Amino acid sequence: IDTNHIKAGAWSGVLAGIVFGAMMGMGGGLPMVAMLVGSESAVVGFLVHMVISALTGAAFGVAFGHRALKRGKGIAYGLLYGFIWWFLGPLIIMPVWLGMGVQLSIAGMTAALPSLWMHLIWGFLLGLIYALTVKKPKGEMSNA
């Protein structure tokens, strides 16, 4: 595992996570994130969200980093990754963690649609920032 991909992914996840966290803050979603650690504070929710953003960003670097070296591919893989985390996060992991059960029904998925847009924006930014900041192997200087 290349630590360069992990660091670039974590950094990109944090930067994209700031935007995502701001969107969640405007939509009132941060207290629910805080509930993952037994709080209802928006500040705690933002901090938890930022840790998750860094960890999932690092995982992006491991899983897709070697494929996401150019802007277009970074964005494409970032959008895919954002969709995957929308599916895993608000539809499976978070509701199960909070005792609500898996939310894969039409009603559950419909309720999570605003979150889908936020995850896609996060993924777009994650992939773009990653492609622009990751150290490229020799011969991979172009970022088109």
Side-chain angles (χ1 to χ4, degrees):
I1 297 174
D2 186 343
T3 58
N4 176 44
H5 290 294
I6 295 170
K7 288 177 190 173
W11 174 244
S12 301
V14 164
L15 291 177
I18 292 169
V19 174
F20 191 168
M23 289 186 293
M24 277 198 297
M26 289 186 286
L30 291 172
M32 187 168 215
V33 176
M35 291 171 72
L36 293 170
V37 295
S39 174
E40 291 185 25
S41 161
V43 172
V44 170
F46 183 77
L47 294 173
V48 169
H49 163 73
M50 292 308 298
V51 169
I52 292 169
S53 292
L55 293 173
T56 55
F60 174 84
V62 172
F64 298 109
H66 60 287
R67 295 184 182 123
L69 299 176
K70 298 186 182 202
R71 265 191 314 261
K73 286 190 176 191
I75 290 168
Y77 281 107
L79 287 168
L80 171 65
Y81 195 65
F83 178 79
I84 290 168
W85 275 108
W86 172 72
F87 191 80
L88 292 174
L91 298 178
I92 298 175
I93 297 169
M94 190 167 179
V96 168
W97 190 307
L98 296 176
M100 299 182 296
V102 173
Q103 300 293 306
L104 295 177
S105 66
I106 297 297
M109 293 174 101
T110 300
L113 282 178
S115 179
L116 171 60
W117 292 111
M118 289 187 271
H119 280 83
L120 291 176
I121 291 167
W122 174 81
F124 175 92
L125 293 172
L126 169 73
L128 175 63
I129 295 166
Y130 181 87
L132 293 175
T133 60
V134 69
K135 292 179 185 161
K136 311 287 190 290
K138 292 186 194 288
E140 287 280 342
M141 294 303 175
S142 170
N143 215 348

